[in-house]
Amino acid sequence: MNQILHYFESIDPVLGALYASLFTWILTAAGAALVFFFKGMNRALLDGMLGFTGGVMVAASFWSLLAPGIEMSPGEGFVKVIPAAVGFAMGALFLYGLDKILPHLHINFKESEKEGVKTPWHRTTLLVLAIALHNIPEGLAVGVLFGGVAAGIPEATIGGAVALAMGIGIQNFPEGLAVSMPLRRQGVSKFKSFWYGQMSAIVEPISAVIGAVAVTFFTPILPYALAFAAGAMIFVVVEEVIPETQRDNYTDIATLGFIGGFIIMMTLDVALG
C-alpha cells in the first residue's frame, strides 16, 4: 500500500485522477465479466450488493468529501459550513436535473417505470444509462480530491484520494455484475452483457479528469466541489440505490450490505486519509 501511495505522490495529480478512475472502471469490467461464468444471480445477493454500494457512497460522501470540505473552508461557525451546504445542494440539484432529463431504467424496476424524457430506446440502453448516471459523481469525487492535491490544499491528501478510489472501485465490482447479469437473463449475449456492464463506468475517468482540472485551475471552488460530489452521490443513494433494494423480500440483507459498505469505506478513509 505504501508503494501505491508513493507512486501517486510522484506523478501529476491530474494523471493520478485518470489512473485512479481507470482502476474503478477496470473493477466494473471485472464484475461484469462474471457473466461469462454464471448463468444467473440470486436476487438476495443482488440486493445485498446494491446495499453495499449505497453504504460505500454514503460513507465516502462524509468521510472523503464533506468533512475535508468543511475543514478547508475559511471562517467560523455558520460561515464555515456555507460552502459545504451550497455545494451539497447544487450537487443534489444537478443530479435531480439529470434524473429528469436522461432516459434511464433502474435495475429492479419494470420497463413501465422508466424515467427521464420519453424515448424508444431499448431496455438495455436504459439500464446502462441508469448506472452511468450515478457513476458521474463517483468519478467527479475522485477527480476533485486529486485536484485538491495538485492545488496544494493540506486537507486534500493522496492517501484520502486513493482511499476514495479504492472504495468506489470495490463497490463498482458488484455494480458491474448487477448490470450484466440482468441483461443476460433477458436474453442478451454474454459478450454484449459484459460490454454494456463495463461501459456503464466509462463516465468515471471522464468526470474524474474534468473534476481534477477544474479544481487545479480554480482552487477556491474546492470546498464547493467536494460538497457538490457528495450531494450528487447522496441523491443517487436515496433516489435510486435504496429504492432498488426495497422491492423484494431481502430488505434486511440489503440493509446489512449497506452497513458493511459503510464500514469498509469509513475504514479505508480513516486508515489511509
Side-chain angles (χ1 to χ4, degrees):
M1 180 57 66
N2 287 334
Q3 291 178 336
I4 295 176
L5 294 179
H6 289 322
Y7 172 75
F8 277 100
E9 289 172 351
S10 66
I11 63 174
D12 179 76
V14 176
L15 190 60
L18 175 61
Y19 289 162
S21 56
L22 285 174
F23 164 77
T24 65
W25 185 12
I26 289 171
L27 285 188
T28 304
L34 292 180
V35 76
F36 290 111
F37 307 101
F38 299 97
K39 294 182 179 180
M41 180 171 56
N42 184 275
R43 178 59 184 269
L45 178 61
L46 173 61
D47 286 347
M49 291 191 304
L50 289 173
F52 179 88
T53 294
V56 169
M57 294 175 73
V58 169
S61 296
F62 176 75
W63 296 98
S64 299
L65 301 171
L66 278 177
I70 294 173
E71 187 177 350
M72 69 181 63
S73 299
E76 298 293 337
F78 287 108
V79 174
K80 191 173 183 65
V81 80
I82 287 176
V86 171
F88 192 85
M90 291 176 62
L93 289 173
F94 173 72
L95 257 292
Y96 172 79
L98 284 182
D99 185 70
K100 295 302 180 184
I101 296 172
L102 184 69
H104 62 283
L105 177 65
H106 300 314
I107 293 173
N108 289 330
F109 285 44
K110 300 177 182 178
E111 191 159 358
S112 60
E113 298 176 281
K114 58 187 178 182
E115 301 178 10
V117 298
K118 294 183 178 180
T119 175
W121 293 350
H122 193 272
R123 178 184 176 89
T124 300
T125 303
L126 297 176
L127 285 170
V128 174
L129 287 176
I131 300 298
L133 183 66
H134 85 228
N135 282 335
I136 293 174
E138 293 175 3
L140 184 63
V142 172
V144 165
L145 270 183
F146 274 98
V149 174
I153 306 297
E155 293 83 359
T157 65
I158 284 292
V162 170
L164 178 60
M166 290 179 62
I168 290 176
I170 291 171
Q171 63 97 19
N172 273 7
F173 181 85
E175 194 173 85
L177 179 61
V179 177
S180 63
M181 196 61 72
L183 294 179
R184 179 60 181 154
R185 287 204 305 267
Q186 294 171 25
V188 179
S189 69
K190 290 182 179 180
F191 178 78
K192 284 188 176 180
S193 297
F194 161 75
W195 179 256
Y196 287 122
Q198 62 85 29
M199 281 296 288
S200 66
I202 194 173
V203 296
E204 290 196 6
I206 298 172
S207 55
V209 171
I210 291 174
V213 172
V215 170
T216 301
F217 284 99
F218 305 101
T219 305
I221 72 169
L222 182 57
Y224 295 91
L226 289 170
F228 181 96
M233 286 208 288
I234 292 297
F235 180 90
V236 167
V237 172
V238 177
E239 195 276 336
E240 176 185 339
V241 177
I242 291 178
E244 287 179 359
T245 67
Q246 304 300 303
R247 297 172 66 86
D248 213 307
N249 299 321
Y250 307 106
T251 57
D252 288 344
I253 293 176
T255 302
L256 292 175
F258 182 99
I259 298 300
F262 189 98
I263 291 172
I264 288 176
M265 185 65 239
M266 177 181 65
T267 302
L268 282 173
D269 190 86
V270 173
L272 299 178

